[in-house]
Amino acid sequence: MANLIIRVQSCEGTIRVKTSSGETLSTFLSKVAEQLSIPKRGWSVYTDRSKSTRIESSSRKTVASVPLKHGDMVYLFKTGAGVSNVTSEVSLQDTKPENQVEEDEIDVLLSKQDGLIHRKRDPHMCHHGDNSKCVHCVPLEPYDETFLKEHDPPIKHMSLHAYFKKWSHGIDKGKFTMLKDISCKIKEGCAEHPPWPGGICTKCQPTAITLKRQDYRHVDNILFENPSIVQPFLDYWRRTGNQRLGFLYGRYEEHKDVPLGIRAVVAAIYEPPQEGTPDSLELLPNPNLDTVNKLAADLGLRIVGWIFSDLVPDDVKKGTVKHLRDINTHFLTAEECIMAGDFQNQYVSPCRYASSGKFGSKFVTVVVSEGNDENQIGFDGFQVSNQCMALVRDDCLVPTLDDPGLGYIRESSSEQYVPDVFYKDTDSYGNEVTLLARPMPIEYLLVQVSAAFPVQPVYTFSPPPSNGAVFPIENRENIGELQDFDAVRRHLSQYPPGNFLSAMSNFHLLVFLATNDMLPLKTHMEELCAAIKNKDAEACDGWRKGEQWGTVEQIIAAHGKDAPSPGPFTHGPIGDVDMEDMTQASRVSSWTCKHCTFINHAMGSCEMCGLPQA
């Protein structure tokens, strides 16, 4: 079989695929998809640009049967409609989307409200009866600029649904108006020229983008239910000096301080696998994220954002930290903006006003850094704009090397066409000038969101026991915090036998139970989560009496070397389970490596570092 190199031309550029004359067509096409990083469906490959001969996927036919020879060129075209290359978010359309979009509950709730700002009768300006209205007391629209500016404190950004009301205000009520996503890519399927870099025309070329500070925001406030949510998160930095990252789980609700506003309420912080240093953070692969998201959904929660620390100690005795972020330096670095944009693209918001059925994101960013004049730790909330989301999604935005507060728009290359991106600034003479975004201040892409704690703490989960041991947080093995059966036993022993609901109402404990492959609970958590969500002690006790939890109690009791009994919540052995057998099985199935602290589930050498069991 002769080795071949086949050139594949697409709108993303031209690639060279190594193959052989005897290789099947299905294998060849899989290589094409892998090198172009595209899905396995939604495209076709042809032997000519006129699409007269299509190369069909086959596990029997070979490359030689097409026939393809060394150096031949084939052409890839996507079969689906491409994304419109527009730079404005609102454009005229003839009809609304045919498919009904299932929006978030908070969006459905707010869409039914008029959002009018009602004003009282002014005794000095209103010269009419109590049942009448005039220009001085008539209700204002939720996007009224004067009201937003004069509000105490001023509201810098109108809410998302106020923005919807603004562009749909008029005679047609927005009937022929639709939100559209920004695209920085060449429109696909143009037959008037070869794919890029072979050519481009005005029909498929994305228009230039002028960056504009977004005047609305998808989330208007971030509220942590209570301080005990963030204290364990901060303790990691206090103990190690390394920065930490976590995902925020909670819910969206109405924020009544802003007309038609949305608030992200945080009930728990999940810490994914990561490597942190005093100056950097790196996320590691996380096979449990889908399980955690499913667990949160069963609890009536969802992922609403991410939080990370950027702390440098100033005075250890006073507990102060150094001042790092402000208007003179940066609020977020370009790298952090890109990461926030990537997260927002992963968690986009469904929207019935958008042609694609999705518009923007409610995913928020919280940075923990110096927060006041006394150099105490503070929490600042942000989102990146829809323009930033598009630049990140289409891989146009990169950080600079010399200034963390500056971003840089890629230049076009043979592999990628990048439209021109501009921003407006004021020169030394006070004149407005338009500048190419190479580089650009990252503040043009930011939307600030206030972050706070309530006066009266709220607890979706049970508050930590006073002077008690807090159940270890996940993925902290490197500092000796292990989520194991001994930790479960210690946690449960702090609660009286009749308070099983409070004992189980701990997010990190539930994560351990749901993600531990040794336990028979992964597919039996819905009933427990529903009981915790509804604070139903009777339902929780009913779940406790089930076979799955009974098995867990036996394992927990057997795992503790000095545990005389299964604990306060046991209800006896199940079936023919023998305690001695359970003890032996537990000891064999799980042991912690003394060299790297990895928890192994088989005897012998450590699966992580390879050193023998001590």
Side-chain angles (χ1 to χ4, degrees), residues 224-419:
F224 291 89
E225 286 189 340
N226 55 78
S228 63
I229 295 174
V230 298
Q231 287 304 326
F233 179 79
L234 295 176
D235 286 342
Y236 185 91
W237 171 77
R238 293 189 178 108
R239 293 178 57 183
T240 66
N242 295 331
Q243 309 303 337
R244 196 67 173 167
L245 180 150
F247 289 126
L248 307 175
Y249 282 85
R251 58 192 176 275
Y252 297 110
E253 63 181 29
E254 184 177 0
H255 180 48
K256 296 185 178 180
D257 292 344
V258 175
L260 298 179
I262 295 177
R263 166 185 284 163
V265 180
V266 180
I269 299 177
Y270 166 75
E271 300 181 10
Q274 59 193 280
E275 288 185 359
T277 70
D279 303 312
S280 66
L281 279 168
E282 180 185 359
L283 275 178
L284 302 177
N286 184 11
N288 293 325
L289 185 59
D290 290 340
T291 302
V292 175
N293 286 339
K294 172 64 168 57
L295 174 73
D298 292 338
L299 291 164
L301 306 175
R302 60 187 296 180
I303 187 169
V304 297
W306 67 303
I307 183 173
F308 66 94
S309 63
D310 182 21
L311 297 166
V312 177
D314 181 38
D315 190 323
V316 178
K317 294 182 179 179
K318 295 181 180 180
T320 57
V321 293
K322 290 186 178 180
H323 185 87
L324 301 175
R325 298 171 185 249
D326 58 26
I327 194 171
N328 298 316
T329 54
H330 60 272
F331 292 110
L332 287 184
T333 68
E335 286 182 303
E336 292 161 359
C337 281
I338 293 171
M339 195 165 185
D342 186 55
F343 281 137
Q344 289 182 206
N345 282 314
Q346 293 179 44
Y347 297 96
V348 292
S349 294
C351 179
R352 58 191 172 99
Y353 300 112
S355 58
S356 63
K358 298 177 181 180
F359 182 72
S361 173
K362 300 185 188 70
F363 197 90
V364 298
T365 297
V366 178
V367 55
V368 185
S369 189
E370 184 273 336
N372 55 34
D373 296 334
E374 298 178 355
N375 284 39
Q376 298 296 320
I377 293 176
F379 299 80
D380 294 308
F382 300 94
Q383 285 192 295
V384 295
S385 65
N386 288 16
Q387 287 182 326
C388 181
M389 289 176 62
L391 293 172
V392 172
R393 181 196 63 222
D394 295 335
D395 196 23
C396 298
L397 178 64
V398 294
T400 60
L401 296 176
D402 53 349
D403 191 332
L406 295 178
Y408 193 89
I409 300 299
R410 292 183 186 273
E411 299 182 16
S412 295
S413 64
S414 59
E415 290 78 24
Q416 178 185 7
Y417 176 85
V418 180

Side-chain angles (χ1 to χ4, degrees), residues 528-540:
L528 173 63
C529 291
I532 294 173
K533 173 185 175 182
N534 301 321
K535 300 188 183 302
D536 189 340
E538 184 177 351
C540 194

Side-chain angles (χ1 to χ4, degrees), residues 352-492:
R352 58 191 172 99
Y353 300 112
S355 58
S356 63
K358 298 177 181 180
F359 182 72
S361 173
K362 300 185 188 70
F363 197 90
V364 298
T365 297
V366 178
V367 55
V368 185
S369 189
E370 184 273 336
N372 55 34
D373 296 334
E374 298 178 355
N375 284 39
Q376 298 296 320
I377 293 176
F379 299 80
D380 294 308
F382 300 94
Q383 285 192 295
V384 295
S385 65
N386 288 16
Q387 287 182 326
C388 181
M389 289 176 62
L391 293 172
V392 172
R393 181 196 63 222
D394 295 335
D395 196 23
C396 298
L397 178 64
V398 294
T400 60
L401 296 176
D402 53 349
D403 191 332
L406 295 178
Y408 193 89
I409 300 299
R410 292 183 186 273
E411 299 182 16
S412 295
S413 64
S414 59
E415 290 78 24
Q416 178 185 7
Y417 176 85
V418 180
D420 289 331
V421 179
F422 302 93
Y423 71 95
K424 293 184 178 181
D425 202 355
T426 303
D427 62 16
S428 57
Y429 300 100
N431 300 318
E432 187 178 71
V433 293
T434 301
L435 303 173
L436 190 63
R438 297 187 181 120
M440 50 164 269
I442 210 71
E443 63 190 48
Y444 280 83
L445 307 177
L446 286 182
V447 178
Q448 287 185 302
V449 183
S450 59
F453 294 83
V455 177
Q456 295 295 331
V458 180
Y459 293 91
T460 294
F461 301 99
S462 297
S466 58
N467 301 323
V470 178
F471 189 79
I473 296 176
E474 57 281 341
N475 300 308
R476 288 191 176 186
E477 295 84 358
N478 62 320
I479 61 172
E481 290 189 19
L482 300 180
Q483 286 189 338
D484 56 16
F485 299 119
D486 284 336
V488 177
R489 180 175 55 82
R490 290 193 300 269
H491 174 79
L492 296 179

Side-chain angles (χ1 to χ4, degrees), residues 591-598 600 602-614:
W591 58 277
T592 302
C593 178
K594 294 184 178 181
H595 305 282
C596 69
T597 72
F598 184 76
N600 295 271
M603 298 293 290
S605 300
C606 175
E607 298 176 14
M608 179 60 66
C609 65
L611 295 175
Q613 181 181 4

